[in-house]
């Protein structure tokens, strides 16, 4: 009997150590779920953009003129613009960490990607409807390549926080050995945000100016 108990204890001990060694820090199934909600949001936002365009076309085009006025006076790699670009992403990063410790984390991750999908879809359909081919260019310089790094940061962070909740909260497994890796992933998320901010304030700024000028002048 004692030997059986020892075998069972050893079995679960090995499983726990294996979990500690492997540590599923990036949850692929969770990433697929939040990306699915992002796609749903994009479709919804694109539809709303087409539906509401007749009412808000003039306001949208006026906003683009205001944006052109704002960015035309900015210099490439301006520090204040760089900090402006990354500030909202860092705030979002902090919010994700805070929601990790609440019962609303699952809902928050889904709603975050639905909302971002709606915004991107709305901007896409509105830009194309208003400016045609130039609208495609306007959409691209507004979201790429810097948007890829912003989105990658959110995906990695949400996945990591989801894995922390699912595998380690309430577990008897000691998490001390994982703190360094968790910190490394969070640092990687921050690096992605910084790269995105650099691309947005540096590489994309001149492109944004030229495309906005083209869009405004064609009307």
């Amino acid at each position: 009997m004692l030997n059986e108990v020892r075998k069972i204890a050893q079995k679960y001990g090995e499983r726990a150590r294996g979990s500690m060694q492997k540590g599923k820090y990036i949850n692929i199934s969770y990433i697929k779920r939040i990306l699915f909600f992002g796609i749903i949001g994009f479709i919804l936002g694109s539809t709303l953009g087409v539906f509401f365009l007749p009412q808000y076309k003039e306001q949208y085009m006026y906003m683009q003129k205001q944006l052109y006025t704002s960015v035309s006076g900015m210099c490439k790699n301006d520090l204040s613009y760089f900090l402006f670009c990354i500030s909202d992403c860092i705030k979002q990063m902090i919010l994700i960490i805070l929601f990790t410790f609440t019962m609303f984390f699952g809902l928050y991750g889904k709603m975050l990607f639905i909302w971002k999908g709606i915004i991107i879809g709305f901007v896409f359909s509105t830009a194309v409807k208003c400016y045609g081919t130039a609208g495609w260019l306007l959409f691209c310089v507004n979201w790429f390549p810097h948007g890829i790094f912003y989105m990658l940061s959110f995906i990695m962070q949400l996945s990591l926080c989801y894995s922390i909740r699912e595998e380690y909260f309430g577990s008897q497994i000691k998490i001390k050995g994982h703190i360094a890796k968790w910190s490394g992933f969070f640092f990687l998320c921050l690096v992605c945000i910084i790269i995105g901010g650099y691309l947005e304030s540096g590489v994309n700024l001149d492109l944004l100016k030229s495309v906005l000028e083209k869009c405004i002048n064609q009307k």
Side-chain angles (χ1 to χ4, degrees):
M1 182 68 179
L2 184 58
N3 289 334
E4 291 296 325
V5 173
R6 286 177 180 174
K7 287 180 181 179
I8 294 173
Q10 184 178 6
K11 177 181 177 181
Y12 281 97
E14 289 173 354
R15 183 180 299 178
R17 286 192 294 272
S19 178
M20 283 292 289
Q21 290 170 359
K22 295 178 182 178
K24 193 167 63 173
Y25 300 103
I26 300 299
N27 191 304
I28 301 300
S29 62
Y30 178 73
I31 290 175
K32 289 179 180 178
R33 287 203 298 273
I34 59 175
L35 287 177
F36 171 78
F37 281 99
I39 293 170
I40 294 298
F42 180 83
I43 295 171
L44 180 59
S46 300
T47 305
L48 290 173
V50 173
F51 183 76
F52 287 108
L53 183 61
Q55 302 175 41
Y56 295 101
K57 182 176 180 179
E58 294 299 323
Q59 291 91 327
Y60 174 79
M61 296 175 73
Y62 174 77
M63 288 171 60
Q64 301 313 302
K65 291 179 181 178
Q66 293 295 105
L67 177 60
Y68 176 72
T69 302
S70 299
V71 300
S72 60
M74 293 179 181
C75 299
K76 204 172 181 180
N77 295 320
D78 181 81
L79 180 59
S80 60
Y81 184 49
F82 169 74
L83 294 175
F84 172 78
C85 291
I86 67 172
S87 60
D88 284 341
C89 291
I90 292 176
K91 290 175 186 176
Q92 190 69 72
M93 189 176 180
I94 294 171
L95 275 175
I96 292 172
I97 294 173
L98 293 177
F99 268 96
T100 303
F101 301 96
T102 72
M103 67 178 67
F104 303 106
F105 175 78
L107 179 63
Y108 178 74
K110 296 182 181 78
M111 294 305 297
L112 174 64
F113 266 73
I114 287 177
W115 178 243
K116 288 186 179 297
I118 288 174
I119 293 174
I120 295 173
F122 188 89
V123 171
F124 169 74
S125 61
T126 305
V128 172
K129 279 289 184 179
C130 286
Y131 300 118
T133 304
W136 281 87
L137 291 173
L138 181 59
F139 172 78
C140 288
V141 299
N142 265 310
W143 294 100
F144 301 102
H146 55 279
I148 296 174
F149 288 92
Y150 294 152
M151 198 62 67
L152 180 61
S153 173
F154 293 141
I155 290 172
M156 285 195 301
Q157 189 183 354
L158 281 168
S159 177
L160 176 61
C161 291
Y162 177 83
S163 294
I164 291 173
R165 287 175 58 87
E166 289 295 303
E167 297 183 21
Y168 302 108
F169 277 16
S171 172
Q172 295 180 357
I173 299 172
K174 294 181 179 179
I175 65 173
K176 186 176 180 180
H178 288 264
I179 292 176
K181 284 193 174 182
W182 289 343
S183 301
F185 272 102
F186 283 120
F187 179 74
L188 182 59
C189 294
L190 183 60
V191 169
C192 287
I193 290 174
I194 292 172
I195 292 173
Y198 171 76
L199 292 173
E200 186 175 3
S201 63
V203 176
N204 272 41
L205 184 60
D206 288 342
L207 287 172
L208 181 61
K209 290 178 185 178
S210 61
V211 173
L212 278 171
E213 185 176 12
K214 181 179 180 179
C215 290
I216 292 169
N217 291 337
Q218 79 175 23
K219 294 293 179 180

